[in-house]
Amino acid sequence: CAWSIERTREHLYSTCSSVQSESVPLLQHNGQVHVHRDHHRSAPMPPHSHTSNSELQHSTTSPKQRRRRSQPMHILAVRRLQEEEQQLRTSSLPAIPNPFPELSGSPVLSPGSLPPCQPSGTYIINIFSEDGMGKVVEIPADMTARDLCQLLVYKSHCVDDNSWALVEHHPLLGLERCLEDHELVVQVQASMTSEGRFLFRKNYAKYEFFRNPLNFFPEHMVAWCQETNGAIPPSQLLQNFLNSSSCPEIQGFLYVKEMGRKSWKKLYVFLRRSGLYFSTKGTSKEPRHLQLLADLEDSNVFTVTTGKKLHSAPTDYEFCIKPNKRTELKELRMLCTEDEQSRTSWMTAFRLFKYGIVLYQNYKIPQQRKTLSHFSTPVRSVSENSLVAMDFSGRIGRVIDNPLEAQSAAMEEGNAWRKRSQRMNILGSPSPLHPCLLNSVIHRTQLWFHGRITREESHRMIHQQGQVDGLFLLRDSQSNPKAFVLTLCHHQKIKHFQILPCEEDGQIFFSLDDGSTKFTDLIQLVEFYQLNRGVLPCKLKHPCTLVAL
């Protein structure tokens, strides 16, 4: 009786499985779905009275059928159908003649070798200047930050010295960073919140690392330098940071803000290509003591402008690592250093580890490329292109083609103009070219003069534009209404020098060194210290300028 019940159960189970297998869609080679019907199962089964249970099971279901019964074939069939439909769609494309058959060895380009589709269309971008004024620009989807900066330079009639940058600014979070030249502006805008904006400003320190690499990373911060106990050759330092196969490491103490709290901890941190880690046991580098702080691939490093006020940071030199998405304040990884040089070193190392050789290519491109990628208009304004040097000493004027002769003529003309203005002053002529009046206002037309700004505002402008050696500006003195102040950056420290007026033979001069070197106006003073260091710690190299869009 038990044997007959077991036989009946197996027979019913095999019959149900055959019905289920008949409804399973199978994918054929032509990409179509057919229902497989087993005609052998429709035939009546002969009775086997003397077979065992195992023999009966093997006779009713084959191994292939048992595999169908135990696997979700309908899910696999749908996936295979989607894959083969994609292959059929690709293979149905017409063959495209290969314009370069000698490079690939095939006269026809296969559809799989076609380049991926790039984003198309145009987008509206709002750009703001330092004074809060904005400009709406329509750009293509594949325009990079460098190309947009060149477009703004041309539209604003600025000097294209490859130091302009596009800044991603988040006023509510107090964050900002300079976009890399190769980044797509549309993609960056898509990851920004509604309060975020783009700023257009100077940044002289963007590629300062490639000019002076030894000024960025002291020996105690580079791990392999401590292991070799030797000095860092500049070429080897650059090669280690740019080579993706090498494994450099930056290490040191940082203040780390706890997630979701206002407290800060001083931890020993390691920056590697794989991410930012901290040690749970002193300065140990053992893997079991390292914990991941932030990932480099899907994040960017930002300067924090309101660290002490918003985050209660222990120092003023705060930076943070922000994911490439619309994030809240609690999702930011806040870090803090002891001084400005350490913050610059950590942020520069983050950029080098993330982008590597791409940064060096961005640094070299302005020296190799003279044309713009998205438009062919000249960078100089039309008015500048229409100016030529003329010589009217003869009966007819002639154009001076030699640049040295043109420069000499300009200097002679300037000296002659000053002599004429002094002669007119002696004769008492009330002309608008009165030297005393002109010398006191002529500097206000220069880009490096910023009028009545405070000491704190001058510090902020120097910080924003890079804090490189020789970055300077001139402003009115707050303590002496007749004096001026030269604000100069040297070794990432900002110093102020007062320019005092002095009178000699009824004429007003300006001097930085108590009258030892006198100048008739501030333009002469700036031009002199751009060529000579004098009493300053370094020459004047980079004017701190603002642009009105």
Side-chain angles (χ1 to χ4, degrees):
C1 181
W3 175 81
S4 60
I5 294 175
E6 183 68 18
R7 180 178 177 181
T8 305
R9 187 192 310 170
E10 290 291 333
H11 178 70
L12 291 175
Y13 185 74
S14 62
T15 306
C16 294
S17 63
S18 65
V19 174
Q20 182 180 1
S21 63
E22 288 179 358
S23 62
V24 174
L26 299 179
L27 188 65
Q28 302 299 327
H29 293 287
N30 57 0
Q32 304 295 327
V33 178
H34 299 278
V35 177
H36 178 79
R37 301 186 183 274
D38 198 345
H39 298 284
H40 297 285
R41 291 185 181 175
S42 60
M45 295 180 58
H48 298 280
S49 57
H50 300 287
T51 56
S52 62
N53 293 340
S54 59
E55 292 176 353
L56 178 64
Q57 184 175 1
H58 283 285
S59 63
T60 54
T61 56
S62 65
K64 185 176 181 180
Q65 294 167 354
R66 288 198 304 274
R67 189 167 58 251
R68 281 187 206 143
R69 187 174 66 243
S70 61
Q71 294 182 1
M73 289 298 295
H74 61 284
I75 298 179
L76 296 178
V78 172
R79 291 180 180 176
R80 291 176 184 174
L81 176 62
Q82 294 176 351
E83 293 175 0
E84 292 211 1
E85 282 182 353
Q86 183 68 23
Q87 294 178 0
L88 287 174
R89 190 181 299 110
T90 305
S91 61
S92 62
L93 295 176
I96 302 175
N98 189 355
F100 307 104
E102 66 277 2
L103 298 181
S104 60
S106 175
V108 177
L109 289 175
S110 61
S113 64
L114 295 177
C117 296
Q118 298 293 333
S120 59
T122 57
Y123 295 82
I124 301 299
I125 303 293
N126 292 322
I127 310 295
F128 295 86
S129 57
E130 295 293 339
D131 56 1
M133 301 301 293
K135 172 176 285 190
V136 178
V137 183
E138 185 178 1
I139 65 171
D142 59 342
M143 177 172 274
T144 62
R146 180 193 295 276
D147 294 329
L148 181 54
C149 287
Q150 289 185 331
L151 175 63
L152 295 174
V153 164
Y154 169 72
K155 288 184 174 293
S156 305
H157 304 285
C158 304
V159 179
D160 187 14
D161 55 357
N162 298 315
S163 60
W164 294 97
L166 199 64
V167 179
E168 178 184 352
H169 180 60
H170 299 269
L172 296 183
L173 299 177
L175 308 178
E176 64 180 26
R177 75 172 181 100
C178 288
L179 269 68
E180 304 299 343
D181 290 340
H182 65 276
E183 290 189 81
L184 297 181
V185 180
V186 175
Q187 290 184 359
V188 177
Q189 187 187 41
S191 64
M192 295 170 56
T193 58
S194 58
E195 52 89 18
R197 58 173 59 182
F198 287 120
L199 302 179
F200 181 59
R201 70 159 72 120
K202 289 267 191 179
N203 183 13
Y204 294 101
K206 196 169 186 179
Y207 300 114
E208 188 68 16
F209 168 77
F210 298 110
R211 303 183 186 98
N212 303 298
L214 297 183
N215 296 340
F216 279 78
F217 300 107
E219 295 183 2
H220 63 85
M221 291 188 64
V222 184
W224 62 268
C225 181
Q226 285 189 343
E227 296 172 0
T228 57
N229 295 324
I232 310 176
S235 59
Q236 187 177 0
L237 182 63
L238 281 173
Q239 184 178 2
N240 285 355
F241 275 109
L242 299 178
N243 189 5
S244 59
S245 61
S246 62
C247 299
E249 183 178 282
I250 301 298
Q251 60 188 12
F253 283 100
L254 286 178
Y255 293 99
V256 181
K257 186 175 183 295
E258 297 186 42
M259 301 292 285
R261 298 182 179 180
K262 293 185 178 181
S263 58
W264 293 74
K265 286 186 177 181
K266 192 173 184 180
L267 303 174
Y268 201 73
V269 181
F270 305 90
L271 181 60
R272 301 172 178 176
R273 295 194 187 277
S274 57
L276 184 67
Y277 303 85
F278 74 94
S279 177
T280 59
K281 186 177 180 181
T283 60
S284 175
K285 294 184 180 181
E286 296 185 19
R288 59 193 179 96
H289 296 151
L290 297 183
Q291 290 189 11
L292 181 66
L293 274 176
D295 188 16
L296 273 65
E297 184 177 357
D298 298 326
S299 305
N300 281 312
V301 60
F302 285 77
T303 302
V304 182
T305 57
T306 57
K308 277 196 169 182
K309 181 178 180 181
L310 189 61
H311 309 290
S312 302
T315 66
D316 294 325
Y317 313 105
E318 186 182 2
F319 65 102
C320 87
I321 299 177
K322 176 182 175 296
N324 295 336
K325 61 179 182 178
R326 300 183 179 182
T327 57
E328 299 180 358
L329 184 61
K330 60 181 180 180
E331 301 180 47
L332 304 178
R333 176 60 70 181
M334 296 293 176
L335 306 167
C336 196
T337 62
E338 295 285 355
D339 50 33
E340 181 62 35
Q341 183 179 4
S342 298
R343 178 170 70 171
T344 304
S345 300
W346 282 99
M347 295 180 65
T348 304
F350 187 97
R351 294 171 55 211
L352 288 171
F353 285 174
K354 181 176 182 180
Y355 298 108
I357 194 63
V358 179
L359 282 187
Y360 187 73
Q361 294 172 352
N362 293 342
Y363 166 65
K364 285 295 184 180
I365 282 177
Q367 306 173 15
Q368 301 171 355
R369 186 180 64 178
K370 297 182 180 180
T371 59
L372 306 181
S373 60
H374 286 278
F375 47 90
S376 58
T377 50
V379 175
R380 297 179 60 191
S381 62
V382 178
S383 59
E384 290 177 346
N385 290 332
S386 61
L387 295 178
V388 295
M390 299 288 296
D391 180 15
F392 296 99
S393 58
R395 289 185 300 176
I396 59 175
R398 69 180 181 89
V399 178
I400 303 177
D401 297 326
N402 189 353
L404 297 178
E405 184 182 358
Q407 184 178 4
S408 177
M411 295 180 61
E412 292 179 2
E413 181 67 22
N415 294 331
W417 173 79
R418 293 182 186 278
K419 291 180 180 179
R420 285 197 304 268
S421 63
Q422 291 177 2
R423 191 182 307 111
M424 294 173 66
N425 183 32
I426 294 174
L427 296 177
S429 173
S431 68
L433 298 179
H434 196 281
C436 295
L437 178 63
L438 186 62
N439 293 344
S440 61
V441 298
I442 192 173
H443 54 268
R444 298 189 180 274
T445 61
Q446 303 301 307
L447 297 176
W448 38 257
F449 188 78
H450 297 275
R452 299 186 62 82
I453 63 173
T454 62
R455 188 186 185 99
E456 291 74 18
E457 290 175 337
S458 65
H459 278 232
R460 179 182 58 83
M461 293 175 60
I462 295 291
H463 276 287
Q464 290 177 346
Q465 300 196 13
Q467 282 190 277
V468 296
D469 289 351
L471 181 59
F472 73 97
L473 63 85
L474 269 72
R475 57 185 175 88
D476 291 322
S477 176
Q478 293 179 302
S479 58
N480 188 351
K482 295 183 179 181
F484 303 94
V485 176
L486 169 66
T487 303
L488 177 64
C489 181
H490 179 63
H491 289 170
Q492 294 187 333
K493 295 182 179 179
I494 301 176
K495 302 180 180 180
H496 304 271
F497 303 89
Q498 197 169 39
I499 304 174
L500 298 174
C502 55
E503 185 175 356
E504 183 177 342
D505 298 333
Q507 188 175 358
I508 302 297
F509 294 92
F510 299 95
S511 177
L512 264 175
D513 49 8
D514 297 330
S516 300
T517 310
K518 298 183 288 289
F519 306 93
T520 57
D521 54 49
L522 295 183
I523 297 180
Q524 280 190 348
L525 184 144
V526 170
E527 291 177 348
F528 174 82
Y529 286 106
Q530 284 179 332
L531 301 175
N532 308 276
R533 191 182 72 174
V535 296
L536 300 177
C538 63
K539 298 179 183 179
L540 306 182
K541 298 179 181 179
H542 309 292
C544 187
T545 61
L546 299 180
V547 63
L549 295 176

